[in-house]
C-alpha cells in the first residue's frame, strides 16, 4: 500500500516554533489566542497547540482577561520555542517572566505625559474658572 | 529571540495638545505594499532622524540586559527540565532517587559484607604467613641437618680412606707385599647357589 500522508503533510526545513498571538473574533471585536505554531505558518493558520487566550477589550468590570497554560508554555520553551513581543509582555505582566522593559518604559512615558498635561491644564484652569471642560482626560 | 529595538526607542514626544475633537477614524496602517510606488506628495520628503532621549535609552538598555539575562536563565532551566523528563521516561529513574532509604540500607549491607570478607581475608593471610614461616624454618632445619649429615659422611669417608691408605701397595712395600702374597696362597674354589650363597669346598685345598 502506498503511504500518502507523509507526502501530503507539510515538511519543514529550518524554521522554528513561535509562541504568538493568533487573531480571531469579528469586525471591531478582536480576540487573540496564545498559540504555539511554526514560524512560517499563517498567523491564524494551523498551530501545534493552543496555550491560552487574550481578550484585548475590557469587560464590564474593566478587566482584560488572559488565560495561559503555563505548564505547556514551560514545555514549549524547554523545547526551544521563540516568543513574540506581545506574548513576552503578557507573561511579564502575569509574573511568569520578569516585567518587559518596554512595559516599564511605556508606563513611565505615559506618567510623564500625564504629569505634563496636568501641569499644563492647572495654570490654564486657574485664570479661566468659567467651567471650561478642562481636565487631563486621556 | 525578539525584542531588539529596530529603531531607537520612541522618546518623550512633545506633549500632545488637548484635542478639541477626538480622532474617531485612525488611518488604515500598511495600505501599501513594498512594490507600490510612493505618492507624488512625498517626492521631496526627507526623513529626519527620530529624536532619542539618551538617558532614557541608557536606562532602557540596562533594563533589557537584566531582562534578557533572567529570561535566558529561565529558558535554560526549562530546557533542562524537558530533557530530564525525556531521559527519565526513556531510561527510567535510578533506584537511588526512587527509594533513598532502601538504597541506604542496601549500601550499609554491602559495606557490612565487605568488612566481614575483609576480616576473613586478613585472618587467612595471617595464617598463611605463619604457615609460610614455619615451613621455612623446617626447611632450614632440614637443610642444616642434611649439611651436617653430608659433612659427617665425608668425614667418615676421609677416615676410611686414611685407614685404607695403610693397606695400599707403594713402591716402598712392594717387595714385602709380593713376598707376603706368594707366601699366603688363597683358594678361590668355592661354588655359588642360585640364591647367591657361597658353598665352600669340603675340607678344601
Amino acid at each position: 500500500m502506498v503511504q500518502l500522508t507523509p507526502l501530503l503533510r507539510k515538511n519543514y526545513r529550518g524554521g522554528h516554533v513561535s509562541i504568538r498571538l493568533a487573531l480571531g473574533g469579528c469586525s471591531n471585536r478582536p480576540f487573540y489566542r496564545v498559540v504555539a505554531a511554526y514560524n512560517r505558518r499563517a498567523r491564524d493558520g494551523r498551530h501545534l497547540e493552543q496555550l491560552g487566550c487574550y481578550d484585548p477589550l475590557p469587560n464590564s468590570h474593566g478587566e482584560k482577561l488572559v488565560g495561559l497554560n503555563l505548564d505547556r508554555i514551560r514545555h514549549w520553551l524547554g523545547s526551544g520555542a521563540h516568543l513574540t513581543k506581545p506574548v513576552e509582555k503578557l507573561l511579564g505582566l502575569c509574573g511568569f517572566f520578569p516585567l518587559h522593559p518596554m512595559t516599564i518604559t511605556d508606563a513611565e512615558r505615559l506618567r510623564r505625559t500625564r504629569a505634563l498635561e496636568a501641569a499644563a491644564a492647572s495654570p490654564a484652569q486657574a485664570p479661566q474658572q468659567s467651567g471650561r471642560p478642562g481636565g487631563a482626560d486621556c | 529571540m525578539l525584542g531588539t529595538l529596530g529603531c531607537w526607542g520612541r522618546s518623550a514626544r512633545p506633549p500632545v495638545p488637548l484635542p478639541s475633537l477626538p480622532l474617531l477614524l485612525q488611518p488604515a496602517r500598511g495600505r501599501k505594499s513594498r512594490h507600490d510606488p510612493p505618492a507624488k506628495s512625498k517626492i521631496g520628503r526627507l526623513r529626519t532622524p527620530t529624536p532619542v532621549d539618551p538617558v532614557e535609552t541608557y536606562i532602557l538598555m540596562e533594563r533589557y540586559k537584566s531582562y534578557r539575562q533572567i529570561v535566558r536563565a529561565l529558558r535554560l532551566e526549562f530546557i533542562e527540565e524537558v530533557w530530564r523528563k525525556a531521559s527519565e521516561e526513556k531510561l527510567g529513574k535510578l533506584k537511588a532517587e526512587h527509594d533513598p532509604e532502601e538504597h541506604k540500607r542496601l549500601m550499609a549491607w554491602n559495606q557490612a559484607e565487605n568488612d566481614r570478607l575483609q576480616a576473613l581475608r586478613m585472618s587467612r593471610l595471617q595464617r598463611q604467613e605463619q604457615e609460610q614461616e614455619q615451613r621455612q624454618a623446617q626447611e632450614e632445619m632440614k637443610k642444616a641437618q642434611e649439611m651436617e649429615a653430608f659433612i659427617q659422611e665425608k668425614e667418615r669417608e676421609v677416615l676410611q680412606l686414611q685407614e685404607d691408605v695403610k693397606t695400599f701397595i707403594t713402591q716402598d712395600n712392594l717387595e714385602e707385599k709380593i713376598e707376603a702374597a706368594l707366601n699366603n696362597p688363597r683358594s678361590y674354589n668355592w661354588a655359588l647357589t642360585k640364591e647367591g650363597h657361597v658353598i665352600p669346598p669340603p675340607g678344601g685345598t
Side-chain angles (χ1 to χ4, degrees):
Chain A
M1 195 173 97
V2 181
Q3 299 279 352
L4 286 176
T5 330
L7 299 169
L8 293 169
R9 212 190 304 138
K10 181 121 173 91
N11 295 313
Y12 294 100
R13 183 198 162 273
H16 51 85
V17 174
S18 250
I19 301 179
R20 58 193 188 188
L21 299 175
L23 180 60
C26 305
S27 298
N28 297 318
R29 193 13 178 140
F31 183 82
Y32 295 99
R33 289 165 293 134
V34 180
V35 134
Y38 275 114
N39 181 37
R40 285 182 303 212
R41 274 282 187 197
R43 182 194 65 194
D44 303 334
R46 203 180 95 176
H47 54 261
L48 297 159
E49 191 181 346
Q50 181 170 346
L51 304 168
C53 54
Y54 164 55
D55 183 6
L57 300 186
N59 65 3
S60 51
H61 303 287
E63 304 156 341
K64 290 187 188 174
L65 299 173
V66 176
L68 294 167
N69 190 348
L70 292 173
D71 204 17
R72 291 305 296 168
I73 291 177
R74 264 178 103 109
H75 172 264
W76 279 111
L77 285 173
S79 311
H82 293 205
L83 293 164
T84 53
K85 249 195 278 189
V87 174
E88 278 184 358
K89 288 188 175 169
L90 277 177
L91 287 172
L93 284 168
C94 81
F96 191 65
F97 269 20
L99 260 189
H100 195 84
M102 281 317 288
T103 319
I104 307 172
T105 320
D106 287 337
E108 281 178 354
R109 286 177 188 166
L110 190 62
R111 271 195 195 171
R112 235 179 285 140
T113 44
R114 278 191 181 159
L116 280 168
E117 278 163 11
S122 47
Q125 251 190 351
Q128 298 189 12
Q129 280 174 2
S130 56
R132 183 193 159 157
D137 199 320
C138 45
Chain B
M1 220 350 212
L2 309 166
T4 47
L5 293 185
C7 55
W8 290 93
R10 279 169 276 120
S11 67
R13 305 172 217 117
V16 175
L18 283 168
S20 47
L21 286 166
L23 270 171
L24 288 167
L25 273 173
Q26 299 290 334
R29 205 189 168 115
R31 231 164 41 83
K32 282 195 176 174
S33 72
R34 57 168 62 179
H35 309 291
D36 296 326
K40 273 186 245 173
S41 59
K42 302 278 186 290
I43 288 175
R45 183 169 177 269
L46 281 170
R47 210 184 147 259
T48 52
T50 327
V52 159
D53 184 17
V55 175
E56 199 196 34
T57 316
Y58 177 76
I59 295 169
L60 190 63
M61 288 298 117
E62 294 298 308
R63 280 187 189 143
Y64 261 115
K65 234 192 280 180
S66 57
Y67 173 80
R68 281 188 191 137
Q69 199 181 36
I70 297 169
V71 165
R72 186 177 155 74
L74 281 170
R75 216 180 248 284
L76 289 173
E77 215 182 277
F78 297 155
I79 288 167
E80 206 236 311
E81 203 181 297
V82 164
W83 184 86
R84 202 167 12 100
K85 230 189 275 187
S87 75
E88 253 182 40
E89 269 182 37
K90 203 169 151 194
L91 304 167
K93 258 187 168 176
L94 286 171
K95 272 259 175 70
E97 290 166 18
H98 208 53
D99 237 341
E101 289 112 18
E102 173 101 15
H103 179 72
K104 254 189 255 175
R105 203 167 51 79
L106 289 169
M107 291 297 278
W109 180 84
N110 195 27
Q111 186 66 26
E113 272 292 307
N114 283 350
D115 293 335
R116 184 177 70 86
L117 291 172
Q118 178 73 1
L120 282 173
R121 203 180 297 129
M122 295 301 281
S123 64
R124 181 166 43 88
L125 283 173
Q126 277 179 1
R127 233 182 317 119
Q128 278 179 356
E129 272 178 25
Q130 282 172 3
E131 280 173 12
Q132 183 82 3
E133 278 174 25
Q134 277 177 5
R135 241 182 287 129
Q136 264 186 353
Q138 277 178 2
E139 276 178 22
E140 277 177 19
M141 262 171 45
K142 213 168 69 173
K143 255 195 239 168
Q145 280 174 0
E146 278 179 7
M147 196 58 105
E148 270 188 42
F150 178 74
I151 289 169
Q152 281 179 4
E153 182 75 31
K154 290 297 170 194
E155 279 184 1
R156 229 179 328 111
E157 279 187 8
V158 164
L159 288 170
Q160 186 72 30
L161 199 59
Q162 281 179 350
E163 284 179 22
D164 287 342
V165 161
K166 291 172 191 157
T167 56
F168 286 170
I169 302 173
T170 59
Q171 290 290 342
D172 301 335
N173 48 6
L174 180 64
E175 276 96 26
E176 284 127 31
K177 290 285 180 184
I178 290 169
E179 279 180 32
L182 285 173
N183 290 342
N184 310 327
R186 271 188 73 178
S187 161
Y188 293 97
N189 299 330
W190 36 264
L192 265 183
T193 56
K194 275 201 183 153
E195 288 78 35
H197 303 305
V198 171
I199 305 173
T205 27

